[in-house]
Amino acid sequence: QGSTLWMRLRYAHTLSVEASYEILRLPEGASLKEVKKAYFKMAKQTHPDAAHCSADKPGEEKDLPSFIEVITAFEVLEDHASNMASLDSEYRTAPNSAARSGGGSSSDVRRRRAQRTPARARSLGEVLCDRLSDDPQLARDVWNEIRSRKLRLEPATLDRLFEACARAATPNEGDGGLEVALSIMREASRDGILTPSLREAGLVSVIKWCKRDASSFQQIYASIDEEDKTASTMETISYANFLYSGAWDGYSSGK
């Protein structure tokens, strides 16, 4: 998993938005819903555990991108959609913008803003997580500091924390750091800082780093409150379980 993550991070630096649309076989400007649909379809086709049987299926698409390319393209387009949504919001709340005063169309304004919009600054929580690279045993301490300082929580922060939970687990520790990871999710939920999208991102990271078998997936599923078991969440964790183990779990309504 570590080498795969490194490849994705390295590849993300060179993959453009235009290339990402091409990888997912989408026209430029496709909606986030269309991006997700294409991603789930191509992830199933290109996952290493599914590749061995694709040659036996008549009519299967040839010349598919790699699994790494598919995941990275989705992440690039998801970030792009988030950036464009922020720009749209900025435009709607700026009555003196050039577009509203006759100085250009809204798309022109968004393009100009996008060209000068810097990359998202890392949150302080993400910076604190840098300590986990050398000492993953500090995952609980870092989380406690994030809570005590009431820092903004990002998906990347949860991912780093749960990676550390998994790395800190000893071979004799059967849960692979799962209990610590789930306790962090419970505390974040009690603190009221888990939005639906952040909860889904956190669950995906728990599955990616801490799930070892079907039993641990059941434990993750059981940790979700009933009111949070929406169709979107169930589909997300089902695909995450497939992507990171190749095993279907039976919780996806769209399967």
Side-chain angles (χ1 to χ4, degrees):
Q1 280 180 328
S3 61
T4 299
L5 182 62
W6 177 83
M7 289 172 64
R8 286 167 58 192
L9 291 172
R10 183 184 181 193
Y11 194 73
H13 288 297
T14 61
L15 193 60
S16 67
V17 171
E18 292 76 12
S20 298
Y21 280 122
E22 289 183 12
I23 287 172
L24 295 183
R25 313 285 170 85
L26 289 169
E28 289 190 24
S31 68
L32 184 56
K33 183 177 181 180
E34 292 171 323
V35 169
K36 287 182 177 180
K37 183 177 180 180
Y39 163 64
F40 289 142
K41 176 184 176 182
M42 297 196 73
K44 288 168 64 177
Q45 291 176 326
T46 58
H47 190 278
D49 290 343
H52 70 279
C53 59
S54 61
D56 301 328
K57 296 181 180 179
E60 192 77 26
E61 273 193 270
K62 305 299 181 183
D63 301 323
L64 289 171
S66 70
F67 185 55
I68 297 295
E69 289 175 317
V70 170
I71 294 178
T72 309
F74 172 68
E75 291 173 345
V76 169
L77 293 180
E78 193 175 36
D79 286 344
H80 176 65
S82 176
N83 291 338
M84 292 307 296
S86 297
L87 290 168
D88 283 338
S89 176
E90 180 185 348
Y91 171 73
R92 286 195 300 271
T93 57
N96 295 322
S97 68
R100 296 195 174 191
S101 60
S105 68
S106 60
S107 59
D108 289 337
V109 172
R110 287 198 297 272
R111 274 197 296 271
R112 289 197 295 270
R113 285 175 177 165
Q115 289 171 356
R116 64 174 184 264
T117 300
R120 179 182 69 82
R122 298 173 73 216
S123 68
L124 181 53
E126 290 173 85
V127 173
L128 289 175
C129 285
D130 287 343
R131 296 155 57 190
L132 301 176
S133 297
D134 296 326
D135 192 353
Q137 299 285 350
L138 293 175
R140 168 55 69 177
D141 293 337
V142 170
W143 167 242
N144 288 339
E145 186 170 355
I146 290 172
R147 287 186 78 196
S148 65
R149 298 173 69 167
K150 295 181 170 58
L151 299 179
R152 185 178 79 249
L153 197 58
E154 300 282 354
T157 307
L158 290 174
D159 195 69
R160 293 287 301 280
L161 285 168
F162 299 152
E163 178 189 6
C165 290
R167 289 175 54 212
T170 63
N172 295 328
E173 194 174 340
D175 74 347
L178 180 59
E179 185 52 48
V180 176
L182 291 180
S183 70
I184 289 174
M185 288 289 288
R186 285 193 295 269
E187 290 165 8
S189 183
R190 284 199 299 268
D191 291 347
I193 56 178
L194 280 185
T195 62
S197 60
L198 187 56
R199 178 180 288 104
E200 288 187 11
L203 288 169
V204 169
S205 290
V206 172
I207 291 169
K208 177 171 70 172
W209 295 113
C210 303
K211 190 202 72 163
R212 290 190 171 181
D213 50 31
S215 175
S216 56
F217 180 83
Q218 290 284 351
Q219 192 175 345
I220 294 168
Y221 174 80
S223 73
I224 307 171
D225 292 335
E226 287 301 321
E227 61 267 25
D228 295 323
K229 290 178 180 176
T230 63
S232 173
T233 297
M234 293 301 96
E235 188 166 27
T236 296
I237 66 171
S238 178
Y239 276 117
N241 186 49
F242 171 74
L243 292 176
Y244 294 111
S245 72
W248 287 108
D249 49 64
Y251 295 104
S252 171
S253 58
K255 192 175 62 173

